[in-house]
Amino acid sequence: MESTSTVTRYSRRARWFHWLSFLFVFLAYLLINLRGFPPRGSDARALIMQSHMLAGLVVLALVLPRLLHRFGHAPPPIMPPIASWEATLSRITHVALYAFLIVQPILGILTVFAGGHAITIPFTGLQIQSPMTGNHDLGEQLGNIHGWIGTVFYFVIGLHILGALWHHFGRHDDTLRRMT
């Protein structure tokens, strides 16, 4: 007897990758927004920045296995099916989100390294030394790009969240339930 059931949710691994990525992106944003409270040069500010960088490194470490898993596992269909324009907008948003998950941490790393600094892992004393010769101007330029992309992605992330809420409360489909 053949089963007529279909997969209605993302795999457990896909859901874990999604929510862990969310957690560490949220943490990176939270920390960078807390950065301005302690005075420059203080241990508290250094800890916040080190923790921000660690959150970014975790995001980067999660994205490759997440993408590999995604390429090997098709997402479950949305029920009821969505319009083609919605599917296109969803694909564009997801490509932008994945690009962000890759580019933003790399830019952060390059910003620190271009400034001639090491990345310090909080509470461990471990450091990832810069393979670059310090170039203050390049570090500033990369830092500005990193900050600009971070600002733009508030809106892309917001669009992603609004889309999920629209599907759940407006269309009443299973888009959001597939990831929970």
Side-chain angles (χ1 to χ4, degrees), residues 123-138:
F123 307 113
T124 68
L126 297 174
Q127 292 187 328
I128 304 169
Q129 295 299 321
S130 174
M132 303 168 70
T133 304
N135 180 330
H136 179 75
D137 291 340
L138 177 60

Side-chain angles (χ1 to χ4, degrees), residues 49 53 106-120 128 130 132 134 139 142-143:
M49 287 308 297
M53 287 182 246
I106 291 172
L107 272 173
I109 292 166
L110 290 175
T111 298
V112 173
F113 286 168
H117 305 289
I119 295 175
T120 301
I128 304 169
S130 174
M132 303 168 70
L142 291 171

Side-chain angles (χ1 to χ4, degrees), residues 3-84:
S3 173
T4 58
S5 69
T6 61
V7 175
T8 59
R9 295 173 71 196
Y10 281 90
S11 72
R12 181 177 302 230
R13 184 172 292 153
R15 293 190 316 262
W16 271 100
F17 281 137
H18 178 272
W19 293 111
L20 280 174
S21 296
F22 163 79
L23 174 67
F24 282 97
V25 168
F26 175 81
L27 185 59
Y29 271 107
L30 175 66
L31 290 163
I32 204 61
N33 283 295
L34 291 175
R35 168 192 61 176
F37 290 106
R40 282 184 173 259
S42 68
D43 288 343
R45 187 175 178 124
L47 178 61
I48 287 171
M49 287 308 297
Q50 291 168 0
S51 299
H52 168 77
M53 287 182 246
L54 180 59
L57 290 172
V58 171
V59 168
L60 188 59
L62 286 170
V63 74
L64 179 61
R66 182 178 179 175
L67 277 171
L68 290 173
H69 180 76
R70 172 62 181 85
F71 290 139
H73 299 82
I78 297 172
M79 292 299 173
I82 60 176
S84 63

Side-chain angles (χ1 to χ4, degrees), residues 134-148:
N135 180 330
H136 179 75
D137 291 340
L138 177 60
E140 287 285 320
Q141 289 173 342
L142 291 171
N144 289 337
I145 295 167
H146 181 71
W148 180 81

